[in-house]
Amino acid sequence: MSSINLLNQKELINHSWKRCHSFGLSPTGPINDLLLTGKDLQEVIQENEYIIKHAIFILEKLYPTIQSSGLVTVIVDRNGTIIHKVGKLDIEEPLDYMSVGSNWSEEIKGTNAIGLVIHEKKSIITHAEHHFYVKNHFLTCAASPIYAPTGEFIGAINISARKELYHPFTISLASIVAEAIQNRLLLEQANHERLLTLKEIELTSNLSALPLLSLDHEKRIIRANQSAQLLLGNDCIGKEFHAKQGYSIDVISDGSNKVFRSVVSLQKAGGKIPQGINLYTLSDIIGSCEKVVKIRKVVEKAALSDYPVIIYGESGTGKELVAQALHTSGSRIMKPFIAVNCSAIPEHLIESELFGYERGAFTGANREGAPGKFEAANGGTIFLDEIGDMPLKAQAALLRVLQEKTVTRIGGDKVKPIDVRVIAATNKNLREEIQEGRFREDLYYRLKGIFITLPPLRNRSDIIELTEHLIAKLDNPSVRLSEEAKQKLISYHWPGNIRELNSILIQASFLAEETEIKAEDLHFENEYERKSKSIDSEEITSLSLINVEKNAIKRALHSVDWNISKAADVLQISRNTLYLKIKKYNLIQEQSSYREI
């Protein structure tokens, strides 16, 4: 150990002694004991089982050396409780100084290597008189911290012996063992992540609406997602696949000419893309906010049913995203998803848009007629966005369709059965709309099956997580947020919700220098918008002042029977000024004649 390390060691031990005195400990007093037993000990061991497992693997190889050298090696948790022990101290006294369950933190055992590692998070030796308690002066101990793959301190390894066996190499041994345990933890984590990734890929493949196959080098089917199995049968695995010309095929190889696997899309290249392939799925509902987590669970459960759904939420909160996730997570995934913005269709056209029309039904209609949105959605899902803005006449027609599950085109008499799931969305309170007479109560109860309410962005606790997800989808995904930028995002009120956030991030990522978005890159209003707003405010103020002045002049003139001199005195202005203002405000028309004195 170098002289600098020795100085640091001495300083650390001196600080530890001072802490021990502040705890009320005495070097010659009795040593405190905090010994976990029974259920309490089992809980701690079970909590740290993953550390113990890897420590045993390493220490078993060292056990012959540890046993013959009079060493005792222990593993402690982050609180200093011994959770595993190998070896025995070579002492005459029968007392076991280091038993499983005993706690060796500074507050309990005074200055010692374990307690110092917990406090300092670095490797250290405590030799003989370094120990706070006189009863521990016969020991020499070396301890080294153990970190999880995430970088979190999770425990330590300590090697102890009689002080006569002191050797500087002991701390190196402790560090080597700690590093070996950490490497095994890291490897286990990597294997775990690999398995999760494979499961995620498999799950994603199954959720895709596009029929996908994986073939081995002999063109046998080794994997088929649910969509592919619907086309080829559940027994297609293991069978040879004969690809037809025009199908999309991606080859997986190691860069050599040898083909290991192929991924085949059963959708013909250039053909009609199946409904759902570009729709949002459950995995697109991003966020760890408790409200969002609950929404994901509700969507996942609701997708398995055909109950109607009403999605409440402010503009920009993601109502259509949730609607699409309901569709793609359910059994109708291979069928159409048709979205209708009820507020964007002119009132006189909304019924023809929803239910279709026959040839010659009205002036300007398509010669051949046209199916409506409900016919287009047959077998799938229809999403009625902004349902609260639908005219009352159209509401009556919609109610009839939902009750009878049939549609009749305008101008026609043929009744067509339909099978659709209805998802409605609005930013209005439908109960209030009913009370105001703007929404039919009977239609409300037809639409009301499952409620999903989306929180506004300002009420979410995961704004930064959502922001980082949106950044990753931009053209410049390598940029990151500065701490000041994060605070600015959190403190903003977000009237436009997620739609506004995405727009601001596009601008910010473009303005960001190098790879960091700073607070000044986040523009919630640009200069022109602020200026326009300011001008509007000034104009409004100016108009208000003009009206006040004009009314004051009129009242003054009427009160003195249009005597100009008296009115000028009342207003405390000159007669010439009053003449000009009467002309300016065209007040002469209100009084055809007036007196002058």
Side-chain angles (χ1 to χ4, degrees):
M1 188 179 298
S2 67
S3 59
I4 295 177
N5 286 336
L6 285 170
L7 288 173
N8 288 341
Q9 171 98 353
K10 185 176 181 181
E11 185 179 351
L12 292 177
I13 289 172
N14 287 339
H15 286 314
S16 177
W17 274 60
K18 289 179 182 178
R19 288 194 296 272
C20 291
H21 282 297
S22 70
F23 298 148
L25 305 181
S26 171
T28 58
I31 300 178
N32 294 329
D33 282 319
L34 178 60
L35 183 65
L36 295 181
T37 58
K39 184 178 179 181
D40 293 335
L41 177 59
Q42 288 304 314
E43 287 180 357
V44 172
I45 290 176
Q46 187 173 0
E47 181 184 346
N48 295 276
E49 189 175 11
Y50 67 110
I51 306 175
I52 297 171
K53 176 182 69 174
H54 295 297
I56 289 174
F57 182 85
I58 302 298
L59 294 178
E60 277 182 350
K61 300 180 182 303
L62 297 175
Y63 181 74
T65 304
I66 293 172
Q67 187 179 37
S68 62
S69 302
L71 304 175
V72 61
T73 302
V74 298
I75 305 294
V76 298
D77 68 2
R78 58 171 57 89
N79 300 312
T81 300
I82 295 177
I83 55 177
H84 184 68
K85 177 182 177 181
V86 175
K88 186 173 175 13
L89 283 173
D90 187 12
I91 56 176
E92 295 180 359
E93 297 181 44
L95 182 62
D96 188 348
Y97 275 85
M98 293 185 170
S99 58
V100 173
S102 61
N103 187 281
W104 278 73
S105 61
E106 278 185 345
E107 296 88 338
I108 304 299
K109 300 293 186 182
T111 302
N112 69 90
I114 294 173
L116 271 167
V117 164
I118 293 172
H119 191 274
E120 302 293 340
K121 308 295 189 295
K122 60 176 66 174
S123 299
I124 197 164
I125 285 182
T126 51
H127 177 59
E129 289 79 11
H130 292 163
H131 294 89
F132 182 79
Y133 280 113
V134 173
K135 291 182 179 178
N136 286 336
H137 285 185
F138 75 95
L139 287 172
T140 182
C141 304
S144 189
I146 299 173
Y147 292 95
T150 58
E152 177 190 6
F153 173 77
I154 55 175
I157 178 171
N158 179 84
I159 301 174
S160 297
R162 288 184 294 106
K163 65 181 181 181
E164 293 83 6
L165 299 177
Y166 168 78
H167 195 287
F169 175 71
T170 311
I171 193 169
S172 298
L173 179 61
S175 298
I176 290 170
V177 174
E179 187 174 347
I181 293 172
Q182 288 171 178
N183 287 340
R184 288 184 60 82
L185 289 170
L186 190 62
L187 182 61
E188 182 179 59
Q189 177 72 11
N191 288 333
H192 179 65
E193 289 293 339
R194 178 175 171 273
L195 288 173
L196 287 179
T197 302
L198 289 173
K199 289 181 179 179
E200 182 181 356
I201 291 172
E202 185 175 353
L203 179 61
T204 303
S205 175
N206 281 334
L207 288 176
S208 172
L210 190 65
L212 298 174
L213 298 175
S214 291
L215 310 179
D216 63 14
H217 65 285
E218 294 181 349
K219 297 184 179 180
R220 282 193 300 263
I221 300 173
I222 57 174
R223 189 177 296 109
N225 68 357
Q226 292 175 356
S227 300
Q229 290 183 35
L230 286 173
L231 294 175
L232 302 178
N234 295 329
D235 59 347
C236 65
I237 306 298
K239 293 182 178 179
E240 186 175 351
F241 176 75
H242 299 282
K244 298 179 181 179
Q245 187 176 5
Y247 284 126
S248 173
I249 300 177
D250 293 317
V251 174
I252 302 174
S253 70
D254 61 356
S256 65
N257 293 327
K258 184 177 179 181
V259 175
F260 290 100
R261 289 184 185 176
S262 302
V263 178
V264 181
S265 165
L266 297 185
Q267 174 63 37
K268 287 187 177 181
K272 183 181 177 182
I273 296 177
Q275 284 290 335
I277 188 61
N278 292 319
L279 300 180
Y280 290 112
T281 65
L282 190 65
S283 62
D284 291 304
I285 303 176
I286 302 298
S288 58
C289 173
E290 184 180 353
K291 295 175 182 177
V292 177
V293 171
K294 287 182 179 178
I295 288 169
R296 267 200 304 269
K297 290 180 180 178
V298 171
V299 170
E300 186 174 15
K301 188 174 181 179
L304 302 177
S305 72
D306 269 342
Y307 294 135
V309 177
I310 295 179
I311 305 171
Y312 280 119
E314 295 179 6
S315 178
T317 51
K319 296 188 289 294
E320 183 158 0
L321 183 154
V322 171
Q324 291 183 14
L326 282 164
H327 175 77
T328 56
S329 300
S331 59
R332 296 178 183 261
I333 182 173
M334 293 296 292
K335 299 297 183 178
F337 176 90
I338 303 297
V340 182
N341 188 333
C342 299
S343 66
I345 305 173
E347 183 174 350
H348 65 284
L349 292 178
I350 192 165
E351 287 189 63
S352 60
E353 280 289 315
L354 290 177
F355 314 122
Y357 57 88
E358 294 292 357
R359 178 179 180 179
F362 52 86
T363 303
N366 188 305
R367 285 186 178 182
E368 303 302 322
K373 301 297 185 183
F374 271 86
E375 280 188 64
N378 192 30
T381 302
I382 190 165
F383 174 50
L384 302 174
D385 198 9
E386 305 299 348
I387 187 71
D389 294 318
M390 179 178 278
L392 284 169
K393 182 181 177 183
Q395 290 180 31
L398 175 60
L399 176 64
R400 185 178 65 253
V401 169
L402 296 181
Q403 287 175 336
E404 299 174 4
K405 297 183 178 179
T406 60
V407 292
T408 303
R409 294 184 184 182
I410 294 174
D413 54 12
K414 185 177 180 182
V415 177
K416 298 183 179 183
I418 55 163
D419 170 27
V420 294
R421 184 186 192 172
V422 179
I423 300 174
T426 181
N427 58 9
K428 295 183 177 180
N429 185 325
L430 293 183
R431 293 300 309 177
E432 291 181 0
E433 294 297 298
I434 291 170
Q435 292 172 6
E436 296 295 327
R438 294 189 291 265
F439 202 83
R440 294 181 61 113
E441 188 171 16
D442 46 6
L443 175 59
Y444 169 75
Y445 286 117
R446 275 289 174 182
L447 296 171
K448 178 188 174 185
I450 300 169
F451 279 119
I452 298 176
T453 302
L454 306 186
L457 185 57
R458 60 184 172 274
N459 292 344
R460 288 179 57 163
S461 61
D462 57 357
I463 291 176
I464 301 304
E465 178 187 347
L466 179 60
T467 300
E468 290 173 343
H469 170 75
L470 293 175
I471 288 174
K473 297 171 69 175
L474 298 176
D475 291 338
N476 188 11
S478 61
V479 295
R480 58 184 178 82
L481 294 167
S482 68
E483 289 302 318
E484 294 78 10
K486 291 179 181 179
Q487 291 305 313
K488 189 173 182 180
L489 289 169
I490 292 171
S491 60
Y492 185 54
H493 59 287
W494 297 112
N497 292 296
I498 300 172
R499 189 180 291 118
E500 182 183 13
L501 172 61
N502 193 57
S503 175
I504 287 170
L505 291 176
I506 291 172
Q507 170 84 342
S509 65
F510 172 75
L511 295 175
E513 295 183 3
E514 296 181 352
T515 60
E516 185 175 62
I517 293 177
K518 298 179 180 178
E520 55 264 32
D521 297 324
L522 298 168
H523 298 284
F524 301 131
E525 288 181 320
N526 68 33
E527 184 178 353
Y528 179 80
E529 290 170 335
R530 287 194 298 270
K531 183 178 179 181
S532 299
K533 184 177 180 181
S534 175
I535 290 173
D536 292 344
S537 178
E538 289 173 3
E539 288 178 351
I540 291 168
T541 303
S542 177
L543 289 171
S544 298
L545 290 173
I546 289 170
N547 288 331
V548 169
E549 184 180 56
K550 181 179 178 181
N551 290 331
I553 293 171
K554 288 172 64 176
R555 285 196 299 271
L557 288 168
H558 284 296
S559 68
V560 297
D561 196 23
W562 281 79
N563 186 308
I564 299 299
S565 296
K566 288 184 179 180
D569 289 338
V570 170
L571 295 168
Q572 296 184 351
I573 59 177
S574 69
R575 287 176 53 183
N576 287 337
T577 300
L578 180 56
Y579 276 124
L580 292 172
K581 290 190 178 292
I582 289 172
K583 185 177 181 181
K584 175 183 177 181
Y585 296 134
N586 203 23
L587 298 177
I588 194 69
Q589 294 180 355
E590 298 188 20
Q591 180 70 20
S592 58
S593 63
Y594 50 85
R595 299 191 310 271
E596 293 189 38
I597 296 178

